[in-house]
Amino acid sequence: MRWGIFSKFLGIVLAIIVVFGYYISPLALSIKQGLDLQGGTHVVLEAVDTPEAKVDDDAVQRVIKIIERRINELGLTEPIVQRQGERRIIVELPGVKDPEKAIELIGKTALMEFQDESGVTVLTGKDLKDARSQIDQGKQNLVAIEFTDEGAKKFADLTAKNIGKRIAILLDKQVLTNPSVQEAIPGGKAVITGSRTLEEAQRLAILLRSGALPIKVEVMETRTVGPTLGQDSKDKSIKAFTIGVLAIVVFMLLFYRLSGVVANIALLVYVLLLLGVLKGLEATMTLPGIAGIILSMGVAVDANVLIFERFKEEFRSGKTLRAAMDAGFHRAFGTILDANVSVMITAAVLFLLGSGPIKGFAVTLGLGVVISMFTAITVSRSLLRMLIHANVVKNSKFFGA
């Protein structure tokens, strides 16, 4: 009996358990959650033809980029904007508190125009460089705008020619404000008044900064997932995860005894590594993603099952525990590699051809397979070799053989 090796084994196992118990909860909770877990709003937009602009691929792509900019300005966490077919755009807003205002913001055309009294448009939103909401000294909510160099020249010329007259500022053909020009404004800066609240001024500034949509879009479907439903999905996912882990732990202990203990310790390392990688990639956890994690845990244990079964066969052929363990890992590696490559191919196809939720499932499944290879071949092997070399237990039955 080698107590030094056995003490090292126990120390490593205890360290893994302590680290797992300390980090698992904060690590799992720190991963961003998708719409199906925390609730939010699901919106389907469709681009439509108008006499002024026809729908084409380039226009739809520009709409997606503008909508993404608008949503990012709102400060929402992990929104999803993706194309569906030729004309439809799917927008998912997890955790959004005011879906109506969010929908109004992302779907608004936001065509800004500066017109003189005769109704001639002299400047448009394309001439803007920046727009920011402000509160002036009189506690008035307004939007301070700044023009591009070319826009500043147009604005200076417009104000110089219309002293004593009014200039209308319109958004989507609706007048925002209609101020009277007192003097020429050459600085390329102006303000838009008329916002009732600062929040309204902020939304207007976001629309102007992000630019106008090149084509008209209509809201075809709105579906709200409430926080209660999201929490219910989360609770059921946690329950499924817990049952799955317990079933795996019990199975490995019953069939493989001390080898099963090693496999279960390696499984703890696997879960920590997988969650850590997802956190590092800033992935968004969804229900399909959780399903991918649970399935990949089965794949991780499957690798250990192949190794331990081969280990038992080698021992029954007359080899010592130490030689049977080395041979079992070596000869099972080819089978494990073939099986995992097949799963990786499937995950790659799902990721390349699937939509958002399917891609989430493919990512967690693919990452799980890669990490399971590491834990099965490295962690399990190192711990099992250390346990056998310690020579604390000599009876092969305690190793499932």
Side-chain angles (χ1 to χ4, degrees), residues 345-401:
I345 292 173
T346 303
V349 172
L350 290 173
F351 181 81
L352 292 174
L353 301 182
S355 59
I358 301 301
K359 285 187 176 182
F361 173 81
V363 168
T364 54
L365 179 60
L367 287 175
V369 168
V370 174
I371 296 173
S372 71
M373 283 284 291
F374 170 77
T375 54
I377 303 302
T378 304
V379 179
S380 294
R381 183 173 187 173
S382 299
L383 290 177
L384 189 58
R385 176 181 289 176
M386 196 179 301
L387 181 59
I388 292 176
H389 284 193
N391 204 26
V392 176
V393 179
K394 299 179 181 180
N395 193 330
S396 61
K397 291 183 179 180
F398 285 99
F399 294 93

Side-chain angles (χ1 to χ4, degrees), residues 164-353:
K165 300 180 181 179
R166 292 187 176 275
I167 296 176
I169 304 175
L170 299 88
L171 185 70
D172 293 341
K173 305 301 182 182
Q174 294 184 353
V175 177
L176 293 176
T177 182
N178 190 24
S180 175
V181 180
Q182 304 299 322
E183 59 182 357
I185 306 174
K189 295 182 178 180
V191 295
I192 301 175
T193 59
S195 298
R196 291 186 296 272
T197 63
L198 180 60
E199 184 181 359
E200 186 177 325
Q202 289 172 340
R203 289 200 302 271
L204 176 57
I206 290 173
L207 289 171
L208 298 180
R209 281 200 304 271
S210 62
L213 299 180
I215 51 178
K216 183 180 179 181
V217 295
E218 294 181 350
V219 178
M220 304 302 294
E221 177 189 350
T222 302
R223 184 170 70 250
T224 300
V225 179
T228 303
L229 182 59
Q231 185 62 44
D232 182 60
S233 300
K234 191 189 306 182
D235 293 341
K236 289 181 179 178
S237 300
I238 294 174
K239 182 179 179 181
F241 182 83
T242 304
I243 293 174
V245 171
L246 290 177
I248 290 172
V249 168
V250 172
F251 173 83
M252 296 304 292
L253 290 176
L254 288 177
F255 281 84
Y256 300 105
R257 301 174 180 88
L258 287 179
S259 297
V261 172
V262 169
N264 290 334
I265 296 300
L267 187 62
L268 299 184
V269 177
Y270 163 81
V271 173
L272 280 177
L273 288 176
L274 180 57
L275 293 180
V277 171
L278 291 174
K279 170 65 176 176
L281 294 175
E282 296 186 352
T284 301
M285 186 59 65
T286 61
L287 286 176
I290 293 176
I293 291 177
I294 296 174
L295 179 58
S296 65
M297 288 173 58
V299 174
V301 172
D302 181 59
N304 283 288
V305 169
L306 290 173
I307 292 170
F308 296 157
E309 287 298 324
R310 190 66 187 184
F311 166 54
K312 290 196 295 185
E313 291 177 6
E314 296 294 332
F315 178 77
R316 289 166 185 164
S317 68
K319 294 181 179 179
T320 64
L321 282 174
R322 194 177 306 176
M325 184 271 297
D326 288 332
F329 275 90
H330 177 72
R331 296 189 177 183
F333 178 78
T335 304
I336 295 171
L337 182 62
D338 289 344
N340 285 346
V341 167
S342 300
V343 177
M344 286 297 295
I345 292 173
T346 303
V349 172
L350 290 173
F351 181 81
L352 292 174
L353 301 182

Side-chain angles (χ1 to χ4, degrees), residues 145-158:
I145 58 176
E146 182 179 355
F147 295 99
T148 61
D149 292 341
E150 184 179 352
K153 294 177 182 178
K154 292 181 182 179
F155 187 66
D157 184 60
L158 175 64

Side-chain angles (χ1 to χ4, degrees), residues 18-36:
V18 170
V19 170
F20 181 86
Y22 184 80
Y23 284 105
I24 185 63
S25 181
L27 188 59
L29 294 175
S30 67
I31 298 177
K32 298 171 184 175
Q33 299 175 2
L35 184 72
D36 49 2

